[in-house]
Amino acid sequence: MKLLRMKPGHGEIVLAEGDVEVPAQEQELIEAFRRELDAGMWAAVPSETAGGRREAELVKSFAEVPRDAERVIFFPRAAGGAPGASL
Amino acid sequence: MALALGTGAVVLVVLVWELMRPTLAHTLARARHVWALRTSAGAGSYDPGRERRAEQRARALLRSCVDEHDWSMYRDLGFLRVWGALADRNGGEGAAYAYLIYPHKPIVAYVPDTGELLNEYCVAFPDDSKPYGSSRLPHSDDVLAKWMALTADERRLIGEANMHLPGRQIDPERVCRDLARLDRWEQQRAQRSKLGRHGNVRAA
């Protein structure tokens, strides 16, 4: 499993990577996960429905992440309002 | 004689030192200033390729998350359509409403059957750590963040957004043109797919 974070001026960076079946690596993943949530990030797990449609799932704790998930993507939490330029 | 010469030499050295001191001090200060500028420039210098590389990474990530149809839509048209899921539980094609996601622009809700624009949802994902001086994600990361939040928890994202009537930030005519482009694009894609299938049948 990889924990990725979107970053301005860079694109995504890999925060942690490991096998959830290996306790030490899982612990590292959990700690990295908590750090990001504490920093105010949202965490999403990209997935695919049984019908083949791609979607994502927002998770609030590491326990909610499916064990077979390949990636968790962190991104800054949504805030209302956007720059005012017109298209 | 030797004493006089020695004294004269010492006086000469002192005089020369006194004359040179302001110039030396000035040169040293300038060298320090230039060094400081170079050091700070190395740490946070403008890199014209950084944003482009960031966007390339973001596009690759977006492509790996959405399906092929959506990726092609974004690549060809510059926006993504997400079907609304709150009105009917299934969502998906044929939903009562849908959203257009533009990079760093409000999300636009509309009625697919009529093309009527419903609302603009102003939402951003500012990264306050500003790693390279900006809090804005690359364009494709912004689109992916909106897509993930909408498909995962539409109600939550819409709840966080500021809702406005159409036309507040995005020109409604522009959106109507985009909807027409989307329609044409999907028709052409369907035709190509049909032709491809016929071709395969003939080849078989």
Side-chain angles (χ1 to χ4, degrees):
Chain A
M1 182 186 293
K2 272 186 186 176
L3 304 190
L4 309 173
R5 175 175 168 176
M6 292 178 181
K7 210 167 182 182
H10 191 279
E12 90 275 10
I13 55 168
V14 180
L15 299 167
E17 185 172 6
D19 185 344
V20 290
E21 302 305 328
V22 179
Q25 292 182 21
E26 185 188 21
Q27 195 54 39
E28 279 180 26
L29 289 168
I30 291 171
E31 283 168 13
F33 189 97
R34 281 185 186 149
R35 273 199 303 273
E36 293 307 307
L37 284 201
D38 289 345
M41 296 286 130
W42 279 2
V45 181
S47 58
E48 194 168 337
T49 62
R53 200 172 70 192
R54 299 279 187 96
E55 59 183 21
E57 184 185 350
L58 289 180
V59 289
K60 291 176 183 165
S61 73
F62 193 79
E64 292 178 23
V65 179
R67 301 290 287 178
D68 60 348
E70 291 177 7
R71 296 175 295 184
V72 180
I73 300 174
F74 294 92
F75 56 101
R77 63 173 298 127
S86 292
L87 274 176
Chain B
M1 179 70 183
L3 183 65
L5 279 175
T7 307
V10 168
V11 169
L12 189 66
V13 167
V14 169
L15 278 174
V16 169
W17 170 250
E18 282 301 314
L19 285 172
M20 295 286 290
R21 201 171 61 170
T23 313
L24 279 173
H26 181 69
T27 307
L28 204 63
R30 236 174 64 177
R32 274 202 206 107
H33 181 64
V34 168
W35 176 255
L37 279 179
R38 280 191 186 161
T39 312
S40 65
S45 60
Y46 173 66
D47 174 359
R50 183 191 298 130
E51 294 297 330
R52 188 177 55 81
R53 291 193 300 275
E55 179 56 22
Q56 282 173 343
R57 284 193 197 96
R59 284 173 77 85
L61 184 65
L62 174 64
R63 186 177 190 175
S64 70
C65 290
V66 302
D67 61 33
E68 193 275 331
H69 181 271
D70 285 352
W71 164 250
S72 301
M73 185 190 301
Y74 180 67
R75 182 196 58 203
D76 296 345
L77 304 176
F79 56 83
L80 266 187
R81 177 195 53 209
V82 174
W83 298 105
L86 293 178
D88 53 335
R89 288 189 174 276
N90 294 328
E93 200 162 344
Y97 65 97
Y99 300 102
L100 293 184
I101 299 177
Y102 294 96
H104 293 298
K105 295 287 172 194
I107 297 169
V108 178
Y110 71 101
V111 180
D113 287 344
T114 61
E116 182 191 358
L117 306 186
L118 298 173
N119 296 302
E120 283 183 8
Y121 294 99
C122 300
V123 65
F125 299 91
D127 187 335
D128 295 331
S129 66
K130 298 184 180 177
Y132 294 97
S134 168
S135 63
R136 275 160 61 111
L137 295 172
H139 279 40
S140 298
D141 271 352
D142 182 72
V143 168
L144 178 57
K146 286 170 181 162
W147 178 86
M148 289 194 296
L150 264 183
T151 58
D153 196 340
E154 181 182 339
R155 194 181 295 277
R156 184 178 179 188
L157 183 69
I158 294 306
E160 295 281 351
N162 288 335
M163 190 186 80
H164 298 291
L165 292 174
R168 164 90 179 210
Q169 287 194 49
I170 304 182
D171 180 2
E173 286 182 13
R174 164 72 184 262
V175 180
C176 290
R177 282 199 301 274
D178 283 343
L179 290 175
R181 285 170 64 217
L182 175 59
D183 197 37
R184 281 197 303 276
W185 181 83
E186 289 194 309
Q187 283 175 12
Q188 287 167 358
R189 211 173 139 83
Q191 276 177 353
R192 276 201 301 271
S193 167
K194 209 171 166 182
L195 286 172
R197 275 204 302 274
H198 283 306
N200 286 342
V201 170
R202 279 181 195 161

